[in-house]
Amino acid sequence: MNIKIILEGKIKEPYFKSGVEEFKKRLLNKVEVLEVSDIFEFLKNKSGVYIITLEIEGKMLSSIEFARKLREIETSGEANEILFLIGGAEGLSKEVRDLSDFKFSMSKLTFLHQEATFILIEQIYRAHKILNNEPYHK
């Protein structure tokens, strides 16, 4: 299953960039991180995708539940790609939120989009380890 993290804006801080790159490397570049200026425009003409929006009002999951959710999407056959959408300073527009197949909250706290990207890719890595019964998850 292809996974893409789409964020509105750029990862500017070197420590977030290096952290994201480290987890991309650990995931053998199976996760792509795309920086866009307008997520709604990016989504035009997309089909066969499962859209997960990161929203404070979304559903919170444990790491194990998150791993199971990814497996569920993968095995359902309804999509060939998962898109995680992270808004910029203004958050996600209503039009983008309305396209969401699953609204996901990592916390009730608000994170910088750079920080959210780093946390999310680490959780995707953790989910990969959980699903493959490999050490890492504690």
Side-chain angles (χ1 to χ4, degrees):
M1 171 78 52
N2 293 326
I3 296 177
K4 290 183 181 169
I5 300 172
I6 315 301
L7 67 143
E8 215 162 60
K10 295 192 177 294
I11 300 175
K12 297 176 185 171
E13 302 300 334
Y15 44 90
F16 287 128
K17 268 186 183 178
S18 65
V20 167
E21 288 304 316
E22 175 61 27
F23 283 107
K24 279 174 57 179
K25 186 172 68 178
R26 290 184 189 190
L27 286 160
L28 305 174
N29 290 312
K30 292 180 182 176
V31 175
E32 192 174 348
V33 178
L34 301 173
E35 300 167 334
V36 300
S37 58
D38 187 328
I39 288 179
F40 189 69
E41 283 298 314
F42 173 84
L43 292 174
K44 286 187 177 175
N45 303 317
K46 289 281 182 199
S47 61
V49 297
Y50 190 93
I51 296 173
I52 299 176
T53 50
L54 272 67
E55 304 183 39
I56 289 176
E57 301 81 17
K59 182 172 181 165
M60 283 196 267
L61 303 172
S62 70
S63 293
I64 292 172
E65 291 168 330
F66 181 70
R68 287 182 185 146
K69 181 68 176 174
L70 293 181
R71 172 68 44 85
E72 174 189 312
I73 297 165
E74 182 178 11
T75 58
S76 74
E78 65 184 84
N80 57 17
E81 188 170 64
I82 299 173
L83 301 180
F84 285 94
L85 308 181
I86 301 173
E90 302 299 318
L92 296 169
S93 69
K94 180 180 178 343
E95 294 85 10
V96 170
R97 291 192 318 268
D98 287 347
L99 296 173
S100 182
D101 294 303
F102 183 75
K103 296 173 187 331
F104 175 52
S105 175
M106 293 192 297
S107 171
K108 292 294 181 190
L109 300 171
T110 301
F111 298 113
L112 299 168
H113 65 279
Q114 305 176 85
E115 188 176 20
T117 303
F118 172 71
I119 294 167
L120 177 60
I121 198 166
E122 188 278 335
Q123 286 299 305
I124 293 169
Y125 176 74
R126 186 177 296 273
H128 174 78
K129 292 297 195 178
I130 291 168
L131 294 172
N132 289 301
N133 295 314
E134 296 174 5
Y136 178 78
H137 174 66
K138 304 244 189 239

